[in-house]
Amino acid sequence: MKRWRIMAAAILSALTIGFSMFAPVDASAATSAVAVTNVNLRAGPSTRYPVVITLPVHAALTVYGCTANTSWCDVSWGRDRGWVAANYVQVFYRGSSVVVTPTVAPAIGLTVVTFNQTYWNTYYVGRPWYGEWNVYYGGGSRSVVRGCNDDSCGAAAVTRGPYGGGRAAVGGCQDGNCGGAAVTRGPYGGGRAAVGGCNDEKCAGAAVTRGPLGNTVVRHGSVSRD
């Protein structure tokens, strides 16, 4: 343990010197640190946010600030930007390597930073979960199940929005035939159901849209695969 602390102190000291050579005049804008273990870099300050990447132990980080309660810190590693629980972030303070705490953070110049959709839009465009901001931030939820047996494959997913809306989808393939269905419910009572599928000869689908005031529209059609 003592050897690790000496190594960490040496790494942090070198990082601090290197950073100061290229950093802006306002040195308090960012602080060098290391990850104390393999830890997930997340897209927001909570374990409910998706994982951006898993940081390796001793990863050299740049810390831009922490949440008001100093439980999560905004960091970057290479080209990746995200949030790490503060107790996995170690900085050099008063001659020692220590994890970030509410006492340490202001002492080394780390400011309070906030998380919002602008941050999300800046760093996560193109990620598979980028379009699910409301699911992660607004208190919604998403569950997915999938699998295959000897003859067929299937999958289902349910997403619930923060204001009562939701979406369920299911799909699968068996013996050369594929099909799928989805139901979307709006927060004010409207909804839409759709089903479709293909066999060796034809693809067909149908949709029912129901407005919040009770009006309904039905559409269906098919097409040959020749």
Side-chain angles (χ1 to χ4, degrees):
M1 187 67 178
K2 183 176 180 181
R3 183 180 179 185
W4 148 240
R5 289 180 177 175
I6 294 173
M7 291 175 62
I11 293 171
L12 285 168
S13 179
L15 287 171
T16 302
I17 293 172
F19 178 80
S20 64
M21 293 173 63
F22 301 99
V25 176
D26 183 9
S28 65
T31 298
S32 297
V34 296
V36 301
T37 187
N38 298 329
V39 62
N40 288 329
L41 178 72
R42 294 188 176 272
S46 169
T47 55
R48 73 173 179 268
Y49 289 98
V51 175
V52 177
I53 194 171
T54 299
L55 301 172
V57 62
H58 305 166
L61 310 175
T62 300
V63 187
Y64 302 96
C66 301
T67 55
N69 60 1
T70 323
S71 58
W72 290 80
C73 294
D74 173 22
V75 310
S76 65
W77 183 60
R79 295 182 178 181
D80 291 306
R81 182 78 174 258
W83 299 79
V84 176
N87 56 341
Y88 293 110
V89 178
Q90 198 167 55
V91 296
F92 195 65
Y93 174 62
R94 291 186 176 179
S96 301
S97 299
V98 298
V99 297
V100 176
T101 66
T103 300
V104 170
I108 62 174
L110 289 178
T111 58
V112 173
V113 292
T114 57
F115 174 67
N116 52 40
Q117 193 169 7
T118 298
Y119 185 103
W120 183 274
N121 292 339
T122 300
Y123 299 111
Y124 304 133
V125 173
R127 299 278 183 169
W129 29 260
Y130 168 70
E132 299 178 4
W133 163 260
N134 286 332
V135 172
Y136 293 106
Y137 183 79
S141 63
R142 184 171 188 265
S143 59
V144 178
V145 61
R146 59 186 178 272
C148 296
N149 59 25
D150 293 338
D151 301 316
S152 61
C153 291
V158 177
T159 300
R160 298 187 185 282
Y163 307 113
R167 185 172 191 272
V170 61
C173 294
Q174 182 174 9
D175 298 333
N177 299 331
C178 293
V183 177
T184 302
R185 298 187 184 281
Y188 306 112
R192 186 172 190 271
V195 61
C198 293
N199 59 24
D200 293 339
E201 300 177 352
K202 184 181 292 186
C203 291
V208 178
T209 302
R210 190 183 303 277
L213 301 179
N215 54 308
T216 301
V217 178
V218 180
R219 293 185 176 90
H220 57 83
S222 65
V223 61
S224 172
R225 299 187 69 178
D226 293 340

